[in-house]
Amino acid sequence: MLPRHPHRTEDCRAISEILQRVGDKWTVLVVGKLGDGPLRFNELRSAVGGISQKMLTTTLRGLERDGFVTRTVFPTIPPRVDYELTDLGYELLVPVGALGEWARKNTERVRAARARFDGLHA
């Protein structure tokens, strides 16, 4: 029996794993803000808005682990920590920016589709 699709299972798993990291809303917002240059934790938290300290910490750790962000600690009192995109992180800005722009352009169309759907299934 032939498979229904020509994709290899390993490729699908790899794509899914990466999309889980880069496709969540906090990652998109954090990467977008860091695209303007390095930021300290609280600067980033203020710039993103609405993100809890725990969620920002979790998001930054994941981005650092995956090679999108670097964390630099400066030996000052109190310690200063800057977060900055790596080359890989800057490459991610292109599709993230395009996705954000698409979302801004199509918000009303999506809302209208949801309203039609909800009206039919109420």
Side-chain angles (χ1 to χ4, degrees):
M1 176 178 217
L2 293 173
R4 288 194 252 166
H5 55 81
H7 306 291
R8 296 188 338 224
T9 302
E10 312 85 60
D11 291 343
C12 291
R13 282 192 196 120
I15 290 167
S16 176
E17 183 179 318
I18 296 298
L19 287 178
Q20 283 178 346
R21 162 61 51 219
V22 302
D24 75 82
K25 78 173 183 178
W26 297 121
T27 293
V28 170
L29 294 171
V30 167
V31 168
K33 295 301 181 185
L34 289 175
D36 294 329
L39 291 170
R40 295 172 78 170
F41 185 89
N42 285 328
E43 292 172 330
L44 186 55
R45 187 172 175 202
S46 294
V48 169
I51 189 170
S52 70
Q53 181 173 336
K54 182 181 185 302
M55 183 53 68
L56 181 56
T57 298
T58 300
T59 301
L60 287 168
R61 283 188 182 153
L63 288 168
E64 184 180 12
R65 180 175 182 252
D66 290 344
F68 296 111
V69 168
T70 58
R71 178 180 186 269
T72 305
V73 180
F74 296 92
T76 59
I77 298 175
R80 177 179 156 196
V81 180
D82 282 0
Y83 295 90
E84 184 173 14
L85 292 180
T86 62
D87 289 342
L88 186 61
Y90 277 106
E91 286 180 37
L92 182 59
L93 274 175
V94 175
V96 162
L99 181 59
E101 184 59 28
W102 182 90
R104 280 186 286 281
K105 285 181 179 177
N106 291 287
T107 299
E108 288 307 315
R109 292 172 66 194
V110 171
R111 285 183 182 153
R114 286 176 180 167
R116 279 191 307 275
F117 181 90
D118 292 346
L120 291 172
H121 296 90

